[in-house]
Amino acid sequence: MSEVNRREFIRSSAAVLLGGSMVSSMSCASGAAESAASGPLFDISLAQWSLHRSLRAGQLDNLDFAGLARSRFGIGAVEYVNQFFMDKARDMAYLGEMKQRAEDAGVRNVLIMCDNEGMLGDPDDARRTEAVENHYKWVDAARFLGCHSIRVNAASRGSYDEQLALAADGLRRLGEYGAEQGINVIVENHGGLSSNGKWLAAVIQRVDMPTVGTLPDFGNFRLSGGNGQPEEWYDRYQGVQELMPYAKGVSAKSHAFDAEGNEVEIDYRRMLRIVLDAGYRGFVGIEYEGEIPEEEGILATKRLLERVREELTPEYRSQA
């Protein structure tokens, strides 16, 4: 099969997947289209990064994460981070235990966030290919666990246009493998040019595959600086709006809360209106990373999401 025909086959196969089990690019994350008329406007998942301090300190084991999401937080869907089982991607016994524990807890495995596998937009062709192939095992693991996606980064080097072309190339090649396995490849705004909503949207447009999309994060819009250096930020609301047409997941970042339970830096009502106005009805994942204890931060974020969802339901339900 020629490369052109192979790509057309993958594109057609991906379209079939989206038309069936994945529903559509807007609702594949949760199958929420089936309950759009009567179910919640969006479902809530828990990103494992919310507990990164406990995991790194050995106070929580990766295998116990799904059960804790259900028993402690009443959350029935989880988003894993590969850093916490980095050497287990091909360990079928271990993955089998993860899957069984999630099933026993009545928890759905949503996605795997993948880091530290190389730059998908590396200017060096060999290293870019290596980065693409490094992610294959996580696609396979996500498929085994029943996830719908892996979340990746679009890091690169060079000029604006050079990085756009390089990131699109790596994502397209990884997306082709993902499509063959029935797994989406989704990109988070996560530093550098990927935190520029216009740039990342242009990357996804250039890839032009229905199974390659975005995971807009409410908070990751710092373009440069930090660690004592002046910071440059992209407008978070503009960025989320630019990324939502391609979203197959949403990350509700949180750090701190005021006396009324609102996030002090992020207007959740404004953000969730942007999300809902885009037609998205999938999972919104809690990603807490503030200073108060992790459990408190997770519960505060959950209460805020539930409160805003309840406030917005009459308005958006009347539009259905």
Side-chain angles (χ1 to χ4, degrees):
M1 182 182 292
S2 70
E3 180 63 20
V4 172
N5 289 338
R6 179 174 178 271
R7 288 188 175 182
E8 287 303 314
F9 171 76
I10 291 170
R11 195 179 300 276
S12 299
S13 298
V16 170
L17 282 170
L18 289 173
S21 62
M22 292 187 181
V23 184
S24 73
S25 64
M26 291 303 171
S27 62
C28 68
S30 70
E34 298 176 1
S35 59
S38 58
L41 291 179
F42 56 84
D43 291 314
I44 297 172
S45 53
L46 178 61
Q48 195 171 26
W49 188 253
S50 300
L51 292 157
H52 69 275
R53 296 199 300 265
S54 298
L55 285 152
R56 286 176 170 172
Q59 298 166 347
L60 174 65
D61 187 272
N62 175 64
L63 290 172
D64 296 323
F65 170 57
L68 182 69
R70 172 65 76 185
S71 65
R72 179 68 184 91
F73 305 111
I75 295 175
V78 294
E79 304 172 9
Y80 295 101
V81 176
N82 73 338
Q83 296 178 45
F84 302 119
F85 57 113
M86 199 71 185
D87 60 343
K88 304 296 186 182
R90 295 190 176 97
D91 187 333
M92 301 311 296
Y94 186 89
L95 294 178
E97 183 69 15
M98 282 180 65
K99 185 176 183 180
Q100 188 61 56
R101 291 200 188 192
E103 290 176 357
D104 290 345
V107 170
R108 177 171 178 177
N109 296 326
V110 176
L111 58 86
I112 303 174
M113 297 185 178
C114 301
D115 302 300
N116 303 325
E117 292 291 7
M119 294 197 305
L120 291 171
D122 198 303
D124 182 274
D125 288 344
R127 287 198 294 267
R128 189 165 69 256
T129 296
E130 181 181 21
V132 169
E133 294 176 352
N134 283 346
H135 285 81
Y136 287 175
K137 60 183 178 291
W138 296 111
V139 171
D140 297 340
R143 180 182 183 182
F144 177 81
L145 291 170
C147 301
H148 66 68
S149 300
I150 63 167
R151 186 280 279 148
V152 303
N153 300 299
S156 185
R157 288 192 301 270
S159 70
Y160 185 102
D161 289 335
E162 288 169 342
Q163 291 191 56
L164 196 159
L166 290 165
D169 177 69
L171 285 167
R172 183 183 301 110
R173 287 196 271 163
L174 179 56
E176 289 171 352
Y177 183 81
E180 291 172 346
Q181 307 304 317
I183 296 295
N184 298 309
V185 173
I186 60 179
V187 188
E188 181 181 359
N189 46 301
H190 207 196
L193 275 176
S194 77
S195 290
N196 179 318
K198 181 179 179 181
W199 179 86
L200 185 51
V203 170
I204 302 302
Q205 290 167 1
R206 182 170 296 196
V207 173
D208 190 25
M209 291 183 65
T211 53
V212 176
T214 60
L215 178 73
D217 182 290
F218 292 174
N220 288 350
F221 285 100
R222 187 173 66 187
L223 296 169
S224 62
N227 296 319
Q229 300 299 313
E231 296 182 350
E232 179 187 4
W233 287 80
Y234 196 82
D235 183 272
R236 69 178 78 237
Y237 304 101
Q238 177 183 336
V240 170
Q241 188 165 25
E242 289 167 334
L243 299 178
M244 279 310 302
Y246 318 100
K248 300 179 187 298
V250 170
S251 185
K253 182 63 60 61
S254 60
H255 291 92
F257 305 86
D258 62 21
E260 286 72 44
N262 296 308
E263 219 287 337
V264 297
E265 294 183 352
I266 302 169
D267 184 338
Y268 264 54
R269 288 162 187 81
R270 183 177 176 186
M271 277 298 192
L272 289 169
R273 283 185 180 279
I274 292 171
V275 169
L276 294 168
D277 285 346
Y280 181 84
R281 297 297 185 271
F283 283 108
V284 174
I286 295 170
E287 191 172 53
Y288 169 73
E289 55 178 27
E291 296 301 321
I292 63 175
E294 290 172 324
E295 290 196 5
E296 293 180 27
I298 291 166
L299 289 169
T301 310
K302 182 176 183 247
R303 286 192 294 269
L304 178 56
L305 285 171
E306 290 173 335
R307 177 155 49 91
V308 176
R309 182 175 65 185
E310 183 177 1
E311 292 172 6
L312 297 180
T313 291
E315 175 185 346
Y316 284 89
R317 191 67 74 220
S318 67
Q319 298 174 9

